[in-house]
Amino acid sequence: MLRIHFTDNRQAPIWLVDERFTIGQDSRNNLVLADAEISPFHAEIRQEHGLYYLTDCGTQAGTYVNDERIGARYQLRSEDKVRLGTLELLLVDPAKHKPKAEAVARWFLQVIKGEHQGHKYHVTGSMTFGRSVKCELCFSDLELSRRHCEFFLKDDVLEIKDLASANGVFVNHQKVSTAALQPGDQVRMGSVTLLVIGPKVEVAQAEDEDATLFMRAIDLPKPAKPKPASQPATANPLRAAALNAAQKSGVPAVPAKQPLNKVLLGVLAVVLAMVVALAAKAML
């Protein structure tokens, strides 16, 4: 079974399931196209015994298959390119079609509100959005400008630019003139809201000027360890004699820093003790 793909991605692919499929500007067609060079009833595709035949309905602009103008009952095959005016369609048999290798990063815009709700558009290169039939994303909403905005890929990042529209462009309810889009963003123009679908993109974060910066403090020299206090010299001969005598007699030494009167009393007590000891020894 064949499927029609729009090379400008204006809408989702269409399966050719009906025996008769008509194309033109008139609203009674299966595929209604508003392009200026397309006639009210431009062409039809008939399915017979699993084969598809394309017929031009006598249009002035003509119908082309692989750049050759055709008349009636031209058999279509997978990979054929059909051109109606400036619109180009690609016939694809999914069972036979081998898609070309593409970059991993893929961006889509899905209509979640408004005209063409549910349709998903593959973003390639630069695509304009508006009411003009020359826009790759053409919508008839009267709130839109003829060329309302432009979607374009720049280094695998999807960006949007307002083309001086009358009613503006809103990304996540914020009016913007230009913006880099992220997956999950909602873009509103007039009554149409688009959901951005695509790969996760790492965006360099700007340095926060208000952020607290911690800097290493100046290394201060470590405080020197205090030197142990030297013992005061016993320059006083009386104090030295008293210490020696106390050490020999077993009497505790008098602290060096005691007042002088206490030191003298201690010396006298030692001398008296020695005298008493000698007297007692003489009596024996």
Side-chain angles (χ1 to χ4, degrees):
M1 183 179 295
L2 293 181
R3 187 170 62 185
I4 297 177
H5 286 249
F6 297 81
T7 57
D8 61 2
N9 300 295
R10 65 173 61 188
Q11 67 181 72
I14 300 175
W15 289 96
L16 292 175
V17 296
D18 298 328
E19 293 183 358
R20 181 172 180 265
F21 186 88
T22 60
I23 304 173
Q25 287 196 16
D26 193 280
S27 60
R28 290 171 288 180
N29 287 287
N30 299 98
L31 176 58
V32 180
L33 301 170
D35 298 57
E37 298 182 6
I38 294 179
S39 302
F41 294 94
H42 197 102
E44 70 173 11
I45 301 174
R46 286 187 177 271
Q47 181 181 174
E48 298 177 5
H49 308 292
L51 301 177
Y52 297 86
Y53 299 93
L54 175 64
T55 298
D56 179 76
C57 299
T59 62
Q60 182 177 359
T63 301
Y64 294 81
V65 178
N66 301 326
D67 295 325
E68 294 185 7
R69 187 164 183 167
I70 60 101
R73 291 183 61 79
Y74 181 93
Q75 184 178 347
L76 295 174
R77 294 174 175 83
S78 180
E79 307 299 329
D80 280 346
K81 293 182 180 180
V82 178
R83 181 163 56 83
L84 312 172
T86 58
L87 174 65
E88 189 175 85
L89 307 172
L90 176 65
L91 278 297
V92 174
D93 184 350
K96 300 178 181 179
H97 180 65
K98 295 181 179 180
K100 297 180 181 179
E102 297 181 353
V104 176
R106 297 288 298 275
W107 290 93
F108 296 88
L109 298 170
Q110 184 171 7
V111 184
I112 59 176
K113 185 178 180 181
E115 185 181 358
H116 304 317
Q117 183 172 344
H119 288 189
K120 184 187 294 184
Y121 303 94
H122 177 209
V123 181
T124 56
S126 173
M127 302 176 67
T128 54
F129 176 98
R131 288 190 296 109
S132 173
V133 294
K134 295 182 179 180
C135 291
E136 287 80 9
L137 302 174
C138 180
F139 288 72
S140 60
D141 183 2
L142 296 179
E143 296 183 23
L144 300 176
S145 300
R146 291 183 60 81
R147 295 181 73 252
H148 197 99
C149 67
E150 178 186 9
F151 294 92
F152 58 94
L153 289 172
K154 183 178 179 181
D155 297 330
D156 293 332
V157 176
L158 180 60
E159 298 187 14
I160 186 172
K161 180 180 180 181
D162 187 358
L163 300 178
S165 64
N167 295 320
V169 174
F170 295 83
V171 177
N172 300 327
H173 308 293
Q174 297 292 327
K175 189 173 183 179
V176 299
S177 56
T178 59
L181 301 176
Q182 291 286 332
D185 285 347
Q186 294 188 15
V187 184
R188 180 174 63 82
M189 289 82 59
S191 62
V192 178
T193 302
L194 304 176
L195 174 66
V196 178
I197 303 173
K200 185 177 181 180
V201 179
E202 296 294 337
V203 179
Q205 298 293 331
E207 184 179 352
D208 187 359
E209 296 180 355
D210 296 329
T212 302
L213 298 179
F214 293 93
M215 300 181 65
R216 183 181 179 85
I218 299 175
D219 292 330
L220 298 176
K222 295 182 179 180
K225 294 183 179 180
K227 295 182 179 180
S230 58
Q231 295 181 353
T234 55
N236 192 327
L238 294 176
R239 185 179 298 174
L243 290 175
N244 291 332
Q247 290 177 356
K248 291 180 180 180
S249 62
V251 179
V254 180
K257 292 185 179 180
Q258 290 185 357
L260 183 60
N261 55 351
K262 291 184 178 181
V263 174
L264 294 177
L265 289 176
V267 172
L268 293 176
V270 171
V271 173
L272 180 61
M274 293 176 63
V275 172
V276 172
L278 291 174
K281 186 176 181 180
M283 292 177 65
L284 294 174

